[in-house]
Amino acid sequence: LQSTAMLVFGPTEFAARLVPALASLALIVITVWFGTRTVSRDVGITAGLLLTASPGVFALSRYAILDTLFTAAVFGGAAFIVVAALRGAAVLQWWGYAAVGVSVLVKGPVAFVLCGLTLVVASLVSADARRRLLGLHWLLGFLLATAIALPWFAYMVVRFGEAFVNVYFFDENLRLFAGR
């Protein structure tokens, strides 16, 4: 996405920062929508305004990194899935699974863990939520999200082989735990 912005606008700071800025706006819109759909219009608008005023969101939307895109995709995926379960809007679950697939493309399989843990906790807290969430098409959703992300991972493994696997899945995690 950033390379597309740079193709359109040239290799400028504006182009490099466009995707994170638009992702921040998308995150705010999704937050308003989610709050409105699950609680009330006032809650949705208030949540969106609070997120807009957040120094973290403001700062991350200005850097040419994809943390805001990851956050928008992973939260959007979970939000679509939750609304699909709670409001009976089954078609939204597919948008949710697709958004989770995009978040896996951005930051890797950690997106599955974050969404999965969130939905498992919701299921443990409420029997009604558990019943509704278990009524969704989880296996097909996982396959859809995987189908979105897998081609890039397969390409990287074919192109770089074991070096990609070691760096992507092991070296980065070891550096995090070693404090480097």
Side-chain angles (χ1 to χ4, degrees):
L1 293 173
Q2 283 179 310
S3 65
T4 302
M6 289 184 182
L7 284 172
V8 172
F9 297 107
T12 63
E13 286 185 30
F14 170 79
R17 296 175 178 181
L18 182 62
V19 171
L22 292 175
S24 292
L25 290 174
L27 177 60
I28 292 164
V29 168
I30 291 166
T31 300
V32 171
W33 175 82
F34 182 68
T36 300
R37 292 288 303 208
T38 57
V39 182
S40 71
R41 183 172 181 244
D42 289 343
V43 167
I45 291 171
T46 302
L49 289 173
L50 288 170
L51 188 60
T52 301
S54 166
V57 172
F58 181 77
L60 287 174
S61 67
R62 295 176 42 99
Y63 293 112
I65 58 175
L66 298 177
D67 290 0
T68 55
L69 179 60
F70 174 73
T71 304
V74 78
F75 177 69
F80 283 133
I81 292 167
V82 166
V83 171
L86 296 180
R87 298 286 181 233
V91 71
L92 289 178
Q93 72 182 308
W94 304 111
W95 289 101
Y97 300 137
V100 171
V102 169
S103 64
V104 172
L105 275 174
V106 176
K107 290 280 187 179
V110 70
F112 286 131
V113 174
L114 290 174
C115 274
L117 282 176
T118 301
L119 298 173
V120 164
V121 168
S123 294
L124 292 175
V125 171
S126 166
D128 184 50
R130 180 174 41 255
R131 181 183 55 77
R132 291 171 186 256
L133 287 169
L134 290 175
L136 299 177
H137 301 282
W138 289 102
L139 180 58
L140 289 175
F142 177 76
L143 292 174
L144 173 62
T146 302
I148 289 170
L150 190 60
W152 182 80
F153 285 97
Y155 168 77
M156 294 301 285
V157 168
V158 168
R159 180 158 183 203
F160 298 106
E162 189 177 330
F164 170 74
V165 174
N166 288 337
V167 169
Y168 189 83
F169 290 103
F170 300 111
D171 289 351
E172 184 65 29
N173 294 326
L174 291 175
R175 274 185 252 136
L176 289 174
F177 288 115
R180 292 188 266 157

